[in-house]
Amino acid sequence: MLNILVTGATGNVGKEVVRLLTDQDCHIYAAVRNPEQAKQRLGDSSKISYVEFDFTNPSTFINAFRQINKLFLVRPPALANIREIAPALEAAKQAGIEQIVFLSVVGAERNRIVPHSKIERYINQLEIGATFLRAGFFMQNLNTVHLEDIKTRGELFMPAGNGKTSFIDIRDIAAVAIRTLLENEHINKAYTLTGSEALTFYQVADIFTEVLNKPIKYTNPSLINFILTMRARKLPINFILIMAAIYTTTRLGLASQITPETEQLLNRPPLTMRDYVQHYQQCWLNS
Ligand SMILES: NC(=O)c1ccc[n+]([C@@H]2O[C@H](COP(=O)([O-])OP(=O)(O)OC[C@H]3O[C@@H](n4cnc5c(N)ncnc54)[C@H](OP(=O)(O)O)[C@@H]3O)[C@@H](O)[C@H]2O)c1
């Protein structure tokens, strides 16, 4: 049986990958920093083993990679330096892992500064079979990072101007990840995963307003107003700067690319923003 190790198993995409893999003919190893806590959060199942794994603690690698055929790799957002990820990749190579499916980011093939680009190149250098899933902006950022703005202030607060984003639902990314983990033909391929429509945040606000049946406004703050507001909310400066960079890219019209690859790999159209807001609506409605 195929043994698949999922890193980031308690996070947005990894959790969904674990959930979808439980219906497949494989054994899942959820690679987590705290196995007991993760088991309580994700649930106990004969199909899932929880193993301790920490990118920054090499003593966890040998046990985590033992008998693993395939690895779903998520770079934790806090680990931006390739030096923090490389030892685990080397251990994966040593352990004879056949394929890494890596959650990368759109444009990683061009933008060599982003950590994902460095990770892709490191994996290639190690000559491990790999599939790179270069994902666009997650819809689920709106029920995580931006939850409170939308829920309590009725506001989409991001400095994205009139720029469009080809949002993707993480459930579609996870479904693509499953396919690429289970079918060997995706080894040594890279896919750019986007949704099927590019929307401005004005259009997103209209969808929220209609589906939630309460006014949600895109306030389009200036970059400086955004940074100062986030500072006042005591968010870490690195996180604020990453958000500022992402929304500046959007403002410049560089986040609107739509590719056919998600649809081709799913054999169905990707989920739309309207689907997403309908499915998650309880998140933003005050109980
Ligand atoms: N947000 C977007 O729009 C977007 C778009 C494209 C690509 N991406 C990329 O997607 C990745 C994030 O994916 P996500 O949102 O699914 O993740 P996430 O929800 O932020 O979760 C991060 C995961 O990493 C784990 N983790 C943290 N530090 C760790 C360590 N030292 N060792 C092992 N595991 C550790 C966390 O586990 P614990 O439970 O132990 O904390 C958690 O499961 C990033 O690389 C990001 O750049 C994001």
Side-chain angles (χ1 to χ4, degrees):
M1 191 190 285
L2 204 55
N3 289 331
I4 302 179
L5 186 78
V6 179
T7 68
T10 56
N12 297 312
V13 181
K15 199 176 351 164
E16 189 61 17
V17 167
V18 169
R19 195 181 69 77
L20 293 180
L21 278 177
T22 53
D23 293 332
Q24 303 296 329
D25 187 22
C26 64
H27 191 79
I28 307 152
Y29 290 82
V32 294
R33 287 188 290 182
N34 186 329
E36 269 318 303
Q37 241 176 43
K39 195 187 284 182
Q40 276 171 22
R41 277 174 64 187
L42 302 180
D44 207 357
S45 153
S46 59
K47 292 212 65 178
I48 310 175
S49 302
Y50 291 90
V51 290
E52 187 186 351
F53 173 81
D54 186 334
F55 283 103
T56 63
N57 180 1
S59 73
T60 61
F61 297 164
I62 290 184
N63 186 48
F65 291 140
R66 188 171 291 137
Q67 295 179 334
I68 296 299
N69 309 101
K70 304 209 169 190
L71 169 65
F72 181 68
L73 178 70
V74 176
R75 174 195 72 94
L79 303 186
N81 193 314
I82 183 67
R83 281 195 299 252
E84 296 167 304
I85 306 291
L89 298 178
E90 280 161 21
K93 169 76 179 177
Q94 289 271 317
I97 280 178
E98 297 152 29
Q99 180 193 12
I100 296 178
V101 173
F102 172 48
L103 175 60
S104 187
V105 72
V106 69
E109 71 281 19
R110 295 185 302 273
N111 183 353
R112 294 168 72 87
I113 300 169
V114 294
H116 314 76
S117 171
K118 293 176 188 159
I119 294 171
E120 287 190 9
R121 281 179 279 142
Y122 206 87
I123 293 171
N124 285 339
Q125 202 180 305
L126 289 171
E127 297 184 347
I128 307 176
T131 310
F132 300 143
L133 304 181
R134 296 178 181 142
F137 189 92
F138 301 168
M139 291 179 190
Q140 278 76 3
N141 293 329
L142 301 174
N143 64 279
T144 51
V145 180
H146 298 291
L147 174 70
E148 283 309 314
D149 282 333
I150 300 172
K151 187 173 172 177
T152 59
R153 288 179 279 277
E155 182 179 18
L156 286 170
F157 185 79
M158 52 280 286
N162 230 343
K164 290 186 171 180
T165 301
S166 52
F167 299 91
I168 183 160
D169 192 306
I170 58 165
R171 294 170 295 176
D172 285 343
I173 300 172
V176 169
I178 302 306
R179 181 153 183 207
T180 58
L181 283 163
L182 298 177
E183 298 174 352
N184 285 335
E185 69 201 63
H186 304 287
I187 295 178
N188 297 333
K189 300 253 174 72
Y191 301 114
T192 296
L193 304 179
T194 71
S196 56
E197 56 186 1
L199 301 171
T200 65
F201 281 97
Y202 291 109
Q203 291 171 302
V204 174
D206 287 345
I207 294 172
F208 268 82
T209 301
E210 228 178 284
V211 176
L212 302 186
N213 198 23
K214 73 175 209 184
I216 305 293
K217 196 169 181 315
Y218 170 44
T219 45
N220 188 14
S222 67
L223 189 58
I224 194 73
N225 177 1
F226 178 77
I227 291 173
L228 292 175
T229 306
M230 293 298 137
R231 276 311 275 163
R233 290 184 194 168
K234 307 224 178 313
L235 285 173
I237 188 69
N238 284 351
F239 183 63
I240 298 172
L241 292 177
I242 288 168
M243 282 203 286
I246 289 170
Y247 290 121
T248 300
T249 306
T250 309
R251 185 184 279 266
L252 295 172
L254 302 173
S256 61
Q257 178 198 13
I258 294 169
T259 69
E261 291 165 68
T262 314
E263 177 155 4
Q264 285 162 357
L265 287 155
L266 292 174
N267 291 324
R268 61 160 172 81
L271 294 162
T272 63
M273 178 59 75
R274 184 173 294 274
D275 294 329
Y276 159 73
V277 181
Q278 275 166 349
H279 298 164
Y280 281 72
Q281 56 183 290
Q282 283 315 319
C283 297
W284 304 286
L285 293 170
N286 290 314
S287 47

